[in-house]
Amino acid sequence: MTIATFLFFTALVAFATWWVTRGGGESTDESYFLAGRSLTGVFIAGSLLLTNLSTEQLIGLNAAAFTEGLSVMAWEVVAGISLVALALVFLPRYLKSGIATIPQFFEERYGSGVRTLTTFLFVIAYMLILLPFVLYLGANGLSGMLELESRLNMTQIQTIWTVIIFIATVGGAYAIWGGLKAVAVSDTFNGAGLLIGGLMITYFTLSTIAGEDGSLLTALSLIADRDPDAFRSLGSADEDVSWPTLITGVLLLNFFYWSTNQQIIQRTFGAKNLAEGQKGVLLAAFFKILAPLILVLPGIAAAYLVATNPEFAERVGATTDGAANRAYGTLVVSVLPESLVGFFAAVVVGSILSTFNSVLNSSATLFSLDIYKKFIRPQASTHQAVLSGQLCSFVVAVFAVIAAPTFFHGREEVFGFFQKLNGVYFIPILAIMLVGLTNRTVDGMSALITLIVGLTAMSIGTFLSGQSETEQGWVIGTFGSGYHFMGVVFLGLIVLQLVLGAVGFRRSTPYVQQDVGAVDLTPWKAAPYVGGGLILLAISLYAVFAF
């Protein structure tokens, strides 16, 4: 029953995606890479959410909540605030320039050197950081939900390899042959399933804790009584996301991720117009603020079950390494009726595929438009450009499959490690983006120098500071947190670029953005009010659970 429902729902999404996107073709670059600039708010919101809500959140964030409690909701709630900034500040500027990639905007503002360097940074980071992480956690979660080790009679690492190759093959088919529209449509279908399935997990888990005669509030009270810190929104100093990090690394990483990260915001470039783009982004912000219901609460509940239910603790392997990463998959099998396990496993695969194929599509876009058509074959036809992107997607997928078990297998607290790896390139790129948007005179050389200094500083702080699971090194000793280190580097890079501009690294004429007329830039009239309301909602959640 489990395997049958899994295969049925997976095939159903694939068929529905083909039916909706059939006949789209690849008549222009925009058709393949930007869905012909035809995406409406619902598809933008669905694609944004499911591209993000993959295993790094579903399994990784629940694993973090298993260990640290509600404080890890920062990655979701602060994301809602960042999406408001995207809708009101960044998106109008991006659509005004009619860009398909962030590096194209950097070329317009800084020149071709910055475009080339940022393109390589994005592609390499997607290949060696993001995709391996998503594939590894996805394989772990799916193996637990479908009990694949026993079904396939394989060891844990053999099962992980098998699932990773399966995910990469199916996800590659969506991205390589379907383009952005297929990615966005499949994301929306899977997003609806993930929302329903995620809420079911939360409901059945709390019902299990409460017992036959209890309510959901009873379950929450039992968890809070056993661990009063479980529902505190502001993390303590010994937690990875302590409250001061909300205004340093956590805020900066979220800001980059939701406003400057090609993999995420590419679907907003395909918006039919600015109003539809803003509607989609703000709808996604609303769901992100409420996302802890499915991305944090189950992890907290799983920690309670491990402490109070010996059978569940044994299934998780609570006394062995990696228990936190296995908790969510075990929870799914333990609380869902058997007929629904296959459905939810298919939804999880959909979320993995969403991130995987979205990253492949973004990598193809970056390579085709920013490298192939820029340097290798400027007069390339649409077919040649798309073919080059498909080849790039294939290469990125192969390297990601190889890197996934190699980088992450056997590592504890992989979610925090993943975020710190992201900081290596997030922080420098965000710095030059903000300076470029707010200062009209600094030139491309100042941006290149700032990028190189930032990459060097972040690499030293992340890889060469003596950090390990037992000895934290000079970054923690000096700054108290790796996220505080990110904040210090970010401010230093802002100052550095402004100083470079002041001493002579200046444009001959101030930068003035031109409207290329790609889409209608009439904003959604309600956007400022909706955005303000969402920010107030996010702050209120923190206030309610602060103490």
Side-chain angles (χ1 to χ4, degrees):
M1 175 67 73
T2 298
I3 297 297
T5 53
F6 165 73
L7 293 176
F8 173 76
F9 190 78
T10 301
L12 181 64
V13 170
F15 175 78
T17 300
W18 168 81
W19 182 262
V20 172
T21 60
R22 69 193 190 284
E26 56 178 53
S27 57
T28 66
D29 292 350
E30 284 191 353
S31 297
Y32 184 81
F33 297 117
L34 295 180
R37 296 194 189 273
S38 64
L39 297 180
T40 57
V42 172
F43 285 119
I44 290 170
S47 191
L48 279 171
L49 286 170
L50 204 68
T51 299
N52 168 251
L53 295 182
S54 186
T55 46
E56 75 266 31
Q57 267 72 34
L58 194 64
I59 296 171
L61 194 54
N62 271 304
F66 178 91
T67 304
E68 299 192 346
L70 190 63
S71 63
V72 300
M73 79 174 192
W75 297 111
E76 299 304 305
V77 178
V78 176
I81 298 174
S82 303
L83 278 164
V84 173
L86 171 62
L88 302 182
V89 180
F90 291 90
L91 187 58
R93 298 195 181 205
Y94 293 152
L95 295 182
K96 186 176 183 178
S97 292
I99 58 173
T101 70
I102 289 295
Q104 285 180 347
F105 183 82
F106 281 135
E107 180 178 42
E108 177 186 315
R109 176 61 186 85
Y110 289 125
S112 60
V114 177
R115 175 180 181 174
T116 302
L117 179 56
T118 53
T119 297
F120 277 108
L121 285 176
F122 277 124
V123 174
I124 291 172
Y126 293 162
M127 180 169 61
L128 298 181
I129 299 175
L130 177 57
L131 286 184
F133 181 71
V134 170
L135 288 173
Y136 178 74
L137 276 188
N140 259 301
L142 193 62
S143 175
M145 292 176 203
L146 298 179
E147 300 177 315
L148 292 179
E149 286 184 41
S150 59
R151 292 179 188 272
L152 300 177
N153 194 27
M154 293 181 176
T155 64
Q156 181 187 32
I157 190 64
Q158 289 173 334
T159 305
I160 287 173
W161 272 109
T162 301
V163 177
I164 284 174
I165 292 172
F166 167 76
I167 293 170
T169 302
V170 178
Y174 272 109
I176 292 174
W177 286 288
L180 182 61
K181 189 171 184 180
V183 171
V185 172
S186 64
D187 284 355
T188 304
F189 289 136
N190 280 311
L194 182 65
L195 178 62
I196 295 169
L199 289 173
M200 285 195 306
I201 296 297
T202 302
Y203 172 78
F204 282 115
T205 301
L206 294 179
S207 296
T208 299
I209 293 174
E212 293 183 3
D213 299 327
S215 65
L216 299 186
L217 290 178
T218 302
L220 297 176
S221 297
L222 289 171
I223 296 171
D225 289 342
R226 192 196 71 83
D227 181 10
D229 187 58
F231 291 119
R232 289 190 181 133
S233 59
L234 300 177
S236 58
D238 61 340
E239 294 181 4
D240 188 54
V241 185
S242 59
W243 71 263
T245 65
L246 297 178
I247 54 176
T248 56
V250 173
L251 179 61
L252 293 176
L253 290 174
N254 264 300
F255 227 74
F256 173 89
Y257 186 89
W258 293 106
S259 66
T260 313
N261 187 2
Q262 177 70 30
Q263 167 240 344
I264 286 294
I265 63 173
Q266 182 172 332
R267 58 268 307 119
T268 67
F269 297 160
K272 184 177 181 179
N273 51 52
L274 175 58
E276 286 296 320
Q278 289 178 320
K279 290 175 185 177
V281 171
L282 292 174
L283 179 59
F286 173 73
F287 283 111
K288 287 300 289 180
I289 293 172
L290 299 182
L293 285 172
I294 61 175
L295 298 179
V296 176
L297 188 52
I300 296 173
Y304 175 86
L305 287 173
V306 164
T308 60
N309 187 321
E311 181 182 349
F312 183 81
E314 183 179 355
R315 295 186 73 174
V316 171
T319 59
T320 61
D321 292 340
N325 294 328
R326 292 190 296 271
Y328 191 76
T330 305
L331 198 64
V332 171
V333 177
S334 301
V335 303
L336 276 186
E338 183 181 357
S339 60
L340 293 177
V341 172
F343 158 74
F344 192 71
V347 169
V348 171
V349 168
S351 74
I352 301 166
L353 293 178
S354 170
T355 298
F356 186 78
N357 57 33
S358 295
V359 173
L360 289 188
N361 184 262
S362 294
S363 299
T365 306
L366 288 163
F367 179 81
S368 297
L369 303 185
D370 294 340
I371 296 177
Y372 185 76
K373 291 193 73 170
K374 180 72 175 177
F375 299 108
I376 300 175
R377 184 172 289 183
Q379 303 303 319
S381 66
T382 294
H383 176 73
Q384 291 170 330
V386 169
L387 188 62
S388 73
Q390 292 171 336
L391 179 61
C392 173
S393 295
F394 177 77
V395 172
V396 168
V398 169
F399 273 95
V401 167
I402 295 172
T406 306
F407 289 177
F408 293 103
H409 186 60
R411 179 179 290 274
E412 292 290 317
E413 297 182 359
V414 293
F415 190 80
F417 176 66
F418 169 68
Q419 296 294 354
K420 292 176 177 64
L421 289 179
N422 282 336
V424 173
Y425 71 105
F426 277 20
I427 297 301
I429 295 178
L430 179 62
I432 67 166
M433 173 61 79
L434 292 183
V435 171
L437 289 174
T438 57
N439 183 298
R440 299 198 302 150
T441 59
V442 293
D443 68 1
M445 185 55 68
S446 73
L448 278 174
I449 294 172
T450 302
L451 266 179
I452 293 170
V453 170
L455 289 169
T456 302
M458 288 303 304
S459 296
I460 291 173
T462 302
F463 299 113
L464 303 178
S465 64
Q467 294 187 63
S468 68
E469 293 184 4
T470 57
E471 193 272 308
Q472 295 293 343
W474 65 266
V475 168
I476 304 300
T478 305
F479 299 96
S481 166
Y483 299 121
H484 295 334
F485 173 72
M486 292 180 190
V488 171
V489 171
F490 176 76
L491 290 177
L493 294 177
I494 295 287
V495 171
L496 171 63
Q497 190 173 2
L498 293 176
V499 169
L500 289 172
V503 300
F505 291 90
R506 303 169 64 87
R507 294 170 58 104
S508 56
T509 58
Y511 166 70
V512 178
Q513 188 178 21
Q514 303 296 320
D515 182 0
V516 301
V519 296
D520 180 7
L521 294 179
T522 303
W524 183 33
K525 290 182 180 180
Y529 306 104
V530 174
L534 289 170
I535 292 174
L536 183 61
L537 174 61
I539 294 173
S540 298
L541 279 177
Y542 265 98
V544 168
F545 293 102
F547 304 103

